[in-house]
Coordinates of all heavy atoms in Angstrom, one line a residue:
M1 N -101.2 75.3 153.2 CA -100.6 74.8 151.9 C -100.4 76.1 151.0 O -101.3 76.9 150.8 CB -101.6 73.9 151.2 CG -101.1 73.3 150.0 SD -102.4 72.3 149.1 CE -102.0 70.6 149.8
E2 N -99.1 76.2 150.5 CA -98.8 77.3 149.5 C -99.4 76.9 148.2 O -99.4 75.8 147.8 CB -97.3 77.4 149.4 CG -96.6 77.8 150.7 CD -96.4 79.3 150.8 OE1 -96.0 79.9 149.8 OE2 -96.6 79.8 151.9
M3 N -99.8 77.9 147.4 CA -100.3 77.7 146.1 C -99.1 77.5 145.2 O -98.1 78.3 145.2 CB -101.1 78.8 145.5 CG -102.5 78.9 146.1 SD -103.7 79.8 145.1 CE -103.1 81.5 145.3
P4 N -99.0 76.4 144.4 CA -97.9 76.2 143.5 C -97.9 77.2 142.4 O -98.9 77.7 141.9 CB -98.2 74.8 142.8 CG -99.4 74.3 143.6 CD -100.1 75.4 144.3
I5 N -96.7 77.6 142.0 CA -96.6 78.6 140.9 C -96.6 77.9 139.5 O -96.3 76.7 139.4 CB -95.3 79.4 141.0 CG1 -94.0 78.6 140.9 CG2 -95.3 80.3 142.2 CD1 -92.8 79.4 140.7
V6 N -97.0 78.6 138.5 CA -97.0 78.1 137.1 C -95.6 78.6 136.6 O -95.5 79.8 136.2 CB -98.2 78.6 136.3 CG1 -98.1 78.0 134.9 CG2 -99.5 78.2 136.9
S7 N -94.6 77.8 136.5 CA -93.3 78.2 136.2 C -93.1 78.4 134.7 O -92.1 79.2 134.3 CB -92.2 77.2 136.7 OG -92.4 76.0 136.1
E8 N -93.9 77.8 133.9 CA -93.7 78.0 132.4 C -95.0 77.5 131.7 O -95.7 76.6 132.2 CB -92.6 77.0 132.0 CG -92.2 77.1 130.5 CD -91.1 76.2 130.2 OE1 -90.8 75.3 131.0 OE2 -90.5 76.4 129.1
C9 N -95.3 78.2 130.7 CA -96.4 77.8 129.8 C -96.1 78.3 128.4 O -95.9 79.5 128.1 CB -97.8 78.4 130.2 SG -99.1 78.0 129.0
D10 N -96.1 77.3 127.4 CA -95.7 77.7 126.1 C -96.9 77.9 125.1 O -96.7 77.8 123.9 CB -94.7 76.7 125.5 CG -95.2 75.3 125.4 OD1 -96.4 75.1 125.6 OD2 -94.4 74.4 125.1
V11 N -98.1 78.0 125.7 CA -99.3 78.2 124.9 C -99.4 79.7 124.6 O -100.1 80.5 125.3 CB -100.5 77.7 125.7 CG1 -101.8 77.8 124.8 CG2 -100.3 76.2 126.1
T12 N -98.8 80.1 123.5 CA -98.6 81.6 123.3 C -99.9 82.2 122.7 O -100.0 83.4 122.7 CB -97.5 81.8 122.3 OG1 -97.7 81.0 121.1 CG2 -96.1 81.5 122.9
D13 N -100.9 81.4 122.3 CA -102.2 82.0 121.8 C -103.1 82.3 123.0 O -104.2 82.8 122.7 CB -102.8 81.2 120.7 CG -103.4 79.9 121.2 OD1 -103.0 79.4 122.3 OD2 -104.2 79.4 120.5
C14 N -102.8 82.0 124.2 CA -103.7 82.2 125.3 C -103.5 83.7 125.7 O -102.4 84.3 125.8 CB -103.3 81.3 126.5 SG -104.3 81.7 128.0
A15 N -104.6 84.3 126.1 CA -104.6 85.8 126.4 C -103.8 86.0 127.7 O -103.3 87.2 127.9 CB -106.0 86.2 126.6
Y16 N -103.6 85.1 128.5 CA -102.8 85.3 129.8 C -101.3 85.1 129.6 O -100.6 85.2 130.5 CB -103.3 84.3 130.8 CG -104.7 84.6 131.4 CD1 -105.8 83.8 131.1 CD2 -104.9 85.7 132.2 CE1 -107.0 84.0 131.6 CE2 -106.2 86.0 132.7 CZ -107.2 85.1 132.4 OH -108.5 85.4 132.9
N17 N -100.9 84.7 128.4 CA -99.5 84.3 128.1 C -98.7 85.5 127.6 O -99.1 86.2 126.7 CB -99.5 83.1 127.2 CG -98.1 82.5 127.2 OD1 -97.1 83.1 126.8 ND2 -98.1 81.2 127.6
S18 N -97.5 85.7 128.2 CA -96.6 86.6 127.6 C -95.2 86.0 127.9 O -94.9 85.6 129.0 CB -96.7 88.0 128.3 OG -95.7 88.8 127.9
D19 N -94.4 85.9 126.9 CA -93.0 85.4 127.0 C -93.0 84.0 127.7 O -92.1 83.7 128.6 CB -92.1 86.4 127.8 CG -92.0 87.7 127.2 OD1 -92.0 87.7 125.9 OD2 -91.9 88.7 127.9
D20 N -93.9 83.1 127.3 CA -93.9 81.8 127.8 C -94.2 81.7 129.3 O -93.8 80.7 129.9 CB -92.7 81.0 127.4 CG -92.6 80.6 125.9 OD1 -93.6 80.7 125.3 OD2 -91.5 80.3 125.5
M21 N -94.8 82.7 129.8 CA -95.2 82.7 131.2 C -96.7 83.0 131.3 O -97.3 83.8 130.5 CB -94.4 83.8 132.0 CG -92.9 83.6 132.0 SD -92.4 82.2 133.0 CE -92.8 82.8 134.6
C22 N -97.3 82.5 132.3 CA -98.8 82.7 132.6 C -98.9 83.9 133.6 O -98.3 83.8 134.6 CB -99.4 81.4 133.1 SG -101.2 81.7 133.5
H23 N -99.7 84.8 133.2 CA -99.9 86.0 134.1 C -101.3 86.2 134.6 O -101.7 87.3 135.0 CB -99.4 87.3 133.3 CG -98.0 87.2 132.9 ND1 -97.0 87.3 133.8 CD2 -97.4 87.0 131.7 CE1 -95.8 87.2 133.2 NE2 -96.1 87.0 131.9
A24 N -102.1 85.0 134.6 CA -103.3 85.0 135.4 C -103.0 85.1 136.9 O -101.9 84.6 137.2 CB -104.1 83.8 135.0
M25 N -103.9 85.5 137.7 CA -103.5 85.5 139.1 C -103.5 84.0 139.6 O -102.7 83.6 140.4 CB -104.6 86.3 139.9 CG -104.4 87.8 139.7 SD -105.5 88.8 140.7 CE -104.7 88.6 142.3
A26 N -104.5 83.3 139.2 CA -104.6 81.9 139.5 C -105.3 81.1 138.4 O -106.2 81.7 137.7 CB -105.4 81.7 140.8
I27 N -104.9 79.9 138.2 CA -105.5 79.1 137.2 C -106.2 77.8 137.8 O -105.9 77.5 138.9 CB -104.5 78.6 136.1 CG1 -103.5 77.6 136.6 CG2 -103.8 79.8 135.4 CD1 -102.7 76.9 135.6
T28 N -107.1 77.3 137.0 CA -107.8 76.0 137.5 C -107.4 74.9 136.5 O -107.4 75.2 135.3 CB -109.3 76.2 137.5 OG1 -109.6 77.3 138.4 CG2 -110.0 74.9 137.9
I29 N -107.0 73.8 137.0 CA -106.6 72.7 136.1 C -107.7 71.6 136.2 O -108.2 71.2 137.3 CB -105.3 72.1 136.6 CG1 -104.1 73.1 136.4 CG2 -104.9 70.8 135.9 CD1 -103.8 73.4 134.9
G30 N -108.0 71.0 135.1 CA -108.6 69.7 135.0 C -110.0 69.5 135.2 O -110.8 70.3 135.6
D31 N -110.4 68.2 134.7 CA -111.5 67.5 135.2 C -111.0 66.4 136.1 O -109.8 66.4 136.4 CB -112.5 67.0 134.1 CG -111.8 66.1 133.1 OD1 -110.8 65.4 133.5 OD2 -112.2 66.1 131.9
S32 N -111.8 65.4 136.4 CA -111.3 64.4 137.4 C -110.2 63.5 136.8 O -109.4 62.9 137.5 CB -112.4 63.5 137.9 OG -113.0 62.9 136.8
V33 N -110.1 63.4 135.4 CA -109.2 62.5 134.8 C -108.1 63.2 134.0 O -107.0 62.9 134.0 CB -110.0 61.5 133.8 CG1 -109.0 60.6 133.1 CG2 -111.0 60.7 134.6
H34 N -108.5 64.3 133.2 CA -107.6 65.0 132.3 C -107.1 66.3 132.9 O -107.9 67.1 133.3 CB -108.3 65.2 131.0 CG -108.7 64.0 130.3 ND1 -110.1 63.6 130.2 CD2 -108.0 63.0 129.7 CE1 -110.1 62.4 129.6 NE2 -108.9 62.0 129.3
P35 N -105.8 66.5 132.9 CA -105.2 67.7 133.6 C -105.2 68.9 132.7 O -104.1 69.5 132.5 CB -103.9 67.3 134.0 CG -103.5 66.3 132.9 CD -104.7 65.6 132.5
K36 N -106.3 69.3 132.0 CA -106.3 70.4 131.0 C -106.3 71.7 131.8 O -106.8 71.8 132.9 CB -107.4 70.3 130.1 CG -108.8 70.5 130.8 CD -109.9 70.2 129.8 CE -111.3 70.3 130.4 NZ -111.7 71.6 130.8
C37 N -105.8 72.7 131.1 CA -105.8 74.1 131.7 C -107.2 74.6 131.5 O -107.6 75.0 130.3 CB -104.8 75.0 131.1 SG -104.9 76.7 131.9
D38 N -108.0 74.8 132.5 CA -109.4 75.2 132.4 C -109.5 76.7 132.3 O -110.6 77.3 132.0 CB -110.1 74.8 133.7 CG -111.5 74.3 133.4 OD1 -111.8 74.0 132.2 OD2 -112.3 74.3 134.3
T39 N -108.3 77.4 132.4 CA -108.3 78.9 132.4 C -107.9 79.4 131.0 O -108.0 80.6 130.8 CB -107.4 79.4 133.5 OG1 -107.8 78.8 134.7 CG2 -107.5 80.9 133.7
Y40 N -107.5 78.5 130.2 CA -107.1 78.9 128.8 C -108.1 79.7 128.1 O -109.3 79.4 128.2 CB -106.8 77.6 128.0 CG -106.7 77.8 126.5 CD1 -105.5 78.5 126.0 CD2 -107.7 77.4 125.6 CE1 -105.4 78.7 124.6 CE2 -107.5 77.6 124.2 CZ -106.4 78.2 123.7 OH -106.2 78.4 122.4
C41 N -107.7 80.8 127.5 CA -108.7 81.8 127.0 C -108.1 82.5 125.8 O -106.9 82.9 125.8 CB -108.9 82.8 128.1 SG -109.8 84.3 127.6
T42 N -108.9 82.6 124.7 CA -108.4 83.2 123.5 C -109.0 84.6 123.2 O -108.9 85.1 122.1 CB -108.6 82.3 122.3 OG1 -110.0 81.9 122.2 CG2 -107.7 81.1 122.4
S43 N -109.7 85.1 124.2 CA -110.3 86.4 124.1 C -109.2 87.4 123.7 O -108.0 87.3 124.1 CB -111.0 86.9 125.4 OG -112.0 86.1 125.7
V44 N -109.6 88.5 123.1 CA -108.6 89.6 122.8 C -108.1 90.1 124.1 O -108.9 90.5 125.0 CB -109.2 90.7 121.9 CG1 -108.2 91.8 121.7 CG2 -109.7 90.1 120.6
S45 N -106.8 90.1 124.3 CA -106.2 90.5 125.5 C -106.2 92.0 125.6 O -105.9 92.8 124.7 CB -104.8 90.0 125.6 OG -104.2 90.5 126.8
M46 N -106.6 92.6 126.8 CA -106.5 94.0 127.1 C -105.1 94.3 127.6 O -104.9 95.5 128.0 CB -107.6 94.4 128.1 CG -109.0 94.0 127.7 SD -109.6 94.9 126.2 CE -109.8 96.5 127.0
G47 N -104.2 93.3 127.6 CA -102.9 93.5 128.2 C -102.8 92.9 129.6 O -103.7 93.1 130.4
V48 N -101.8 92.0 129.7 CA -101.7 91.3 131.0 C -100.7 92.0 131.9 O -99.8 92.7 131.4 CB -101.3 89.8 130.8 CG1 -102.4 89.0 130.2 CG2 -100.0 89.8 130.0
D49 N -100.9 91.9 133.2 CA -100.0 92.4 134.2 C -98.8 91.4 134.3 O -98.9 90.4 134.9 CB -100.7 92.6 135.5 CG -99.7 93.1 136.6 OD1 -98.5 93.3 136.3 OD2 -100.2 93.3 137.7
T50 N -97.7 91.8 133.6 CA -96.6 90.8 133.6 C -95.8 90.7 134.9 O -94.9 89.9 135.0 CB -95.6 91.2 132.4 OG1 -95.2 92.6 132.6 CG2 -96.2 91.1 131.1
S51 N -96.2 91.6 135.9 CA -95.6 91.4 137.2 C -96.3 90.3 138.0 O -95.8 89.9 139.0 CB -95.6 92.7 138.0 OG -97.0 93.0 138.3
C52 N -97.4 89.9 137.5 CA -98.2 88.8 138.2 C -97.8 87.5 137.7 O -97.8 87.2 136.5 CB -99.7 89.1 137.9 SG -100.7 87.8 138.5
M53 N -97.4 86.6 138.6 CA -97.0 85.2 138.2 C -98.1 84.3 138.7 O -98.5 84.3 139.9 CB -95.7 84.9 138.9 CG -95.0 83.6 138.4 SD -93.3 83.5 139.0 CE -92.7 82.2 137.9
A54 N -98.6 83.5 137.8 CA -99.8 82.7 138.1 C -99.5 81.6 139.1 O -98.4 81.0 139.1 CB -100.3 82.1 136.8
C55 N -100.5 81.3 139.9 CA -100.4 80.1 140.8 C -101.6 79.2 140.4 O -102.5 79.5 139.6 CB -100.7 80.6 142.2 SG -99.3 81.6 142.9
V56 N -101.5 78.0 140.9 CA -102.6 77.0 140.7 C -103.6 77.2 141.8 O -103.4 76.9 143.0 CB -102.1 75.5 140.7 CG1 -103.3 74.6 140.4 CG2 -101.0 75.3 139.7
G57 N -104.8 77.8 141.5 CA -105.8 78.1 142.5 C -106.5 76.8 142.9 O -106.9 76.6 144.0
A58 N -106.8 75.9 141.9 CA -107.5 74.7 142.2 C -107.2 73.7 141.1 O -106.9 74.0 140.0 CB -109.0 75.0 142.2
C59 N -107.2 72.4 141.5 CA -107.0 71.3 140.5 C -108.0 70.3 140.8 O -108.1 69.7 141.9 CB -105.6 70.8 140.5 SG -105.4 69.4 139.4
K60 N -108.8 69.9 139.7 CA -109.9 68.9 139.9 C -109.4 67.5 139.4 O -110.2 66.6 139.4 CB -111.1 69.3 139.0 CG -111.7 70.6 139.6 CD -112.8 71.1 138.6 CE -112.2 72.0 137.6 NZ -113.1 72.6 136.6
T61 N -108.1 67.4 139.1 CA -107.6 66.1 138.5 C -107.2 65.2 139.7 O -106.0 65.1 140.0 CB -106.5 66.3 137.5 OG1 -106.9 67.3 136.6 CG2 -106.1 65.0 136.8
T62 N -108.1 64.5 140.2 CA -107.8 63.6 141.4 C -107.0 62.4 140.9 O -106.5 61.7 141.8 CB -109.1 63.1 142.0 OG1 -110.0 62.6 141.0 CG2 -109.8 64.3 142.7
A63 N -106.9 62.1 139.6 CA -106.1 61.0 139.1 C -104.6 61.3 139.3 O -103.8 60.4 139.1 CB -106.5 60.7 137.7
C64 N -104.2 62.5 139.6 CA -102.8 62.9 139.7 C -102.3 62.7 141.1 O -103.0 63.0 142.1 CB -102.6 64.4 139.3 SG -100.9 64.9 139.5
S65 N -101.1 62.1 141.2 CA -100.6 61.8 142.6 C -100.2 63.1 143.4 O -100.0 63.0 144.6 CB -99.3 60.9 142.4 OG -98.3 61.6 141.7
H66 N -100.1 64.2 142.7 CA -99.9 65.5 143.4 C -101.2 66.1 144.0 O -101.1 67.1 144.6 CB -99.2 66.5 142.5 CG -97.9 66.1 142.0 ND1 -96.8 66.0 142.8 CD2 -97.4 65.8 140.8 CE1 -95.7 65.7 142.2 NE2 -96.1 65.5 140.9
N67 N -102.3 65.5 143.7 CA -103.6 66.1 144.1 C -104.0 65.6 145.5 O -104.0 64.4 145.7 CB -104.7 65.7 143.1 CG -105.9 66.6 143.2 OD1 -106.6 66.5 144.3 ND2 -106.2 67.4 142.3
T68 N -104.2 66.6 146.3 CA -104.6 66.3 147.7 C -105.9 67.1 148.0 O -105.8 68.4 148.1 CB -103.5 66.6 148.7 OG1 -102.3 66.0 148.4 CG2 -103.9 66.2 150.1
G69 N -107.0 66.5 148.1 CA -108.2 67.2 148.5 C -108.6 68.3 147.4 O -109.0 69.4 147.8
L70 N -108.4 67.9 146.2 CA -108.7 68.9 145.1 C -107.8 70.1 145.0 O -108.2 71.1 144.5 CB -110.2 69.3 145.1 CG -111.2 68.1 144.9 CD1 -112.6 68.6 145.1 CD2 -111.1 67.6 143.4
E71 N -106.6 70.0 145.6 CA -105.6 71.0 145.6 C -104.3 70.4 145.1 O -104.1 69.2 145.3 CB -105.4 71.7 146.9 CG -106.6 72.2 147.6 CD -107.2 73.5 147.0 OE1 -106.5 74.0 146.1 OE2 -108.2 73.9 147.4
C72 N -103.5 71.2 144.5 CA -102.2 70.7 144.0 C -101.1 70.9 145.0 O -100.9 72.0 145.6 CB -101.8 71.5 142.7 SG -100.2 71.0 142.1
S73 N -100.4 69.8 145.3 CA -99.4 69.8 146.4 C -97.9 69.9 145.8 O -97.0 69.9 146.5 CB -99.5 68.6 147.3 OG -99.2 67.4 146.5
A74 N -97.8 70.0 144.4 CA -96.5 70.2 143.8 C -96.0 71.6 144.2 O -96.8 72.5 144.4 CB -96.6 70.0 142.3
S75 N -94.7 71.8 144.1 CA -94.2 73.2 144.4 C -94.4 74.1 143.2 O -94.5 75.3 143.4 CB -92.7 73.1 144.8 OG -92.0 72.5 143.7
E76 N -94.3 73.5 142.0 CA -94.6 74.3 140.8 C -95.0 73.4 139.7 O -94.8 72.2 139.8 CB -93.3 75.1 140.4 CG -92.2 74.2 140.0 CD -90.9 75.0 139.7 OE1 -90.5 75.9 140.4 OE2 -90.3 74.7 138.6
I77 N -95.7 74.0 138.7 CA -96.1 73.1 137.6 C -95.7 73.8 136.3 O -95.5 75.1 136.3 CB -97.6 72.9 137.5 CG1 -98.4 74.1 137.2 CG2 -98.1 72.3 138.9 CD1 -99.8 73.8 136.7
S78 N -95.7 73.1 135.2 CA -95.6 73.7 133.9 C -96.8 73.3 133.0 O -97.4 72.2 133.3 CB -94.3 73.3 133.2 OG -94.2 71.9 133.0
V79 N -97.1 74.1 132.1 CA -98.3 73.8 131.2 C -97.8 73.9 129.8 O -97.0 74.8 129.4 CB -99.4 74.9 131.5 CG1 -100.6 74.7 130.6 CG2 -99.9 74.8 133.0
G80 N -98.4 73.1 128.9 CA -98.1 73.1 127.5 C -98.9 72.1 126.7 O -99.8 71.5 127.3
L81 N -98.6 72.0 125.5 CA -99.4 71.1 124.6 C -98.9 69.7 124.7 O -97.7 69.4 124.8 CB -99.2 71.6 123.1 CG -100.0 72.7 122.7 CD1 -99.6 73.2 121.3 CD2 -101.5 72.4 122.7
K82 N -99.9 68.8 124.9 CA -99.6 67.4 124.9 C -100.7 66.7 124.2 O -101.9 66.8 124.6 CB -99.5 66.9 126.4 CG -99.0 65.4 126.5 CD -98.9 65.1 128.0 CE -98.4 63.6 128.1 NZ -98.4 63.2 129.5
N83 N -100.4 65.9 123.2 CA -101.4 65.3 122.3 C -102.5 66.2 121.9 O -103.7 65.9 122.0 CB -102.0 64.1 123.1 CG -101.0 63.0 123.5 OD1 -100.0 62.8 122.8 ND2 -101.2 62.4 124.6
D84 N -102.1 67.4 121.5 CA -103.0 68.5 121.0 C -103.9 69.0 122.1 O -105.0 69.6 121.8 CB -103.8 68.0 119.8 CG -102.9 67.8 118.6 OD1 -101.9 68.6 118.4 OD2 -103.3 67.0 117.7
E85 N -103.6 68.8 123.3 CA -104.4 69.3 124.4 C -103.5 70.2 125.3 O -102.3 70.0 125.4 CB -105.1 68.2 125.3 CG -106.1 67.4 124.5 CD -107.0 66.6 125.4 OE1 -106.6 66.4 126.6 OE2 -107.9 66.0 124.9
I86 N -104.1 71.2 125.9 CA -103.4 72.1 126.8 C -103.4 71.6 128.2 O -104.5 71.7 128.9 CB -103.9 73.5 126.7 CG1 -103.8 74.0 125.2 CG2 -103.2 74.5 127.7 CD1 -104.6 75.3 124.9
D87 N -102.3 71.0 128.6 CA -102.3 70.2 129.8 C -101.3 70.7 130.8 O -100.3 71.3 130.5 CB -102.0 68.7 129.5 CG -103.2 67.9 129.0 OD1 -104.3 68.5 128.9 OD2 -102.9 66.8 128.6
C88 N -101.5 70.3 132.1 CA -100.5 70.4 133.1 C -99.5 69.3 132.8 O -99.8 68.1 132.9 CB -101.1 70.2 134.5 SG -99.8 70.0 135.8
L89 N -98.3 69.7 132.5 CA -97.2 68.7 132.1 C -96.6 68.1 133.4 O -95.8 67.2 133.3 CB -96.2 69.4 131.3 CG -96.7 70.0 130.0 CD1 -95.6 70.7 129.2 CD2 -97.4 69.0 129.1
T90 N -96.9 68.6 134.6 CA -96.4 68.0 135.8 C -97.3 66.8 136.3 O -96.9 66.2 137.3 CB -96.3 69.1 136.9 OG1 -95.6 70.2 136.3 CG2 -95.6 68.7 138.1
F91 N -98.4 66.6 135.6 CA -99.3 65.5 136.0 C -98.5 64.2 136.1 O -97.7 63.9 135.3 CB -100.4 65.3 134.9 CG -101.2 64.1 135.1 CD1 -102.3 64.1 135.9 CD2 -100.8 62.9 134.4 CE1 -103.1 62.9 136.0 CE2 -101.6 61.8 134.5 CZ -102.7 61.8 135.3
E92 N -98.8 63.5 137.2 CA -98.3 62.1 137.4 C -99.4 61.2 137.8 O -100.0 61.5 138.8 CB -97.2 62.0 138.4 CG -95.8 62.6 137.9 CD -94.7 62.4 139.0 OE1 -94.7 61.3 139.6 OE2 -94.0 63.4 139.2
G93 N -99.7 60.2 137.1 CA -100.7 59.3 137.4 C -100.5 58.5 138.7 O -99.3 58.3 139.1
R94 N -101.5 58.2 139.4 CA -101.3 57.4 140.7 C -101.0 56.0 140.4 O -101.4 55.5 139.4 CB -102.6 57.5 141.5 CG -103.0 58.9 142.0 CD -104.2 58.9 142.9 NE -104.6 60.2 143.2 CZ -104.1 60.9 144.3 NH1 -103.2 60.4 145.1 NH2 -104.5 62.1 144.5
Ligands
LIG1 S1 -101.3 78.2 132.1 FE1 -103.4 78.2 131.1 S2 -104.2 80.3 131.5 FE2 -102.0 80.4 131.8 S3 -101.1 81.0 129.9 FE3 -101.1 78.8 129.9 S4 -102.9 78.1 128.9 FE4 -103.2 80.3 129.5
LIG2 S1 -99.4 68.5 139.1 FE1 -101.3 67.2 139.3 S2 -102.4 68.1 141.0 FE2 -100.9 69.6 140.4 S3 -102.0 70.9 138.9 FE3 -101.0 69.3 137.7 S4 -102.5 67.7 137.5 FE4 -103.2 69.0 139.1

C-alpha cells in the first residue's frame, strides 16, 4: 500500500505548513471517530524542508470508509478547518 500524500493544508499557523502545503515527512490522523490532524504543532518553526511533501503515515479514524486496518487507502487527502477543528477533509463516514 502506498502512503497517501497530503495534497493541501490551509492551517497556516502550524509549524509544518508553508504555502498551504504540509512539509512533515508523515502525519497521523485521528482518534477512532474524529479525523483530526494529530501532528498539528504550533512550536516555533526552525524552518521546514519545503522539498518534503507530507504523507499520511497512520490514521486511527476507523469510522472513515477510506480506512483499512488503521491505514488510509485514499490516494491523497486534504486537511483544513472544519467546525473549528483541524480535520482531514477527505473523511467519508461509513
Ligand atoms: S496537515 Fe497537519 S501537520 Fe501538516 S501542516 Fe496541516 S495541520 Fe500541520
Ligand atoms: S481519508 Fe479517512 S482514512 Fe484517510 S486519513 Fe482521512 S480520515 Fe483517515
Side-chain angles (χ1 to χ4, degrees):
M1 184 186 269
E2 298 263 320
M3 285 200 291
I5 62 168
V6 181
S7 60
E8 183 178 18
C9 175
D10 62 9
V11 183
T12 54
D13 69 339
C14 178
Y16 289 110
N17 195 294
S18 175
D19 298 328
D20 287 344
M21 298 291 291
C22 179
H23 300 290
M25 290 184 75
I27 67 168
T28 301
I29 295 289
D31 57 26
S32 61
V33 177
H34 299 108
K36 66 187 176 72
C37 179
D38 219 18
T39 308
Y40 169 70
C41 168
T42 55
S43 295
V44 175
S45 176
M46 303 295 285
V48 289
D49 178 358
T50 54
S51 68
C52 176
M53 193 167 193
C55 293
V56 181
C59 177
K60 294 172 275 182
T61 309
T62 53
C64 178
S65 60
H66 295 294
N67 195 293
T68 305
L70 295 172
E71 306 290 354
C72 178
S73 63
S75 58
E76 60 182 52
I77 72 161
S78 62
V79 176
L81 281 172
K82 186 176 180 186
N83 301 327
D84 290 330
E85 293 193 351
I86 298 167
D87 281 354
C88 171
L89 302 179
T90 309
F91 170 86
E92 284 184 43
R94 293 186 187 273

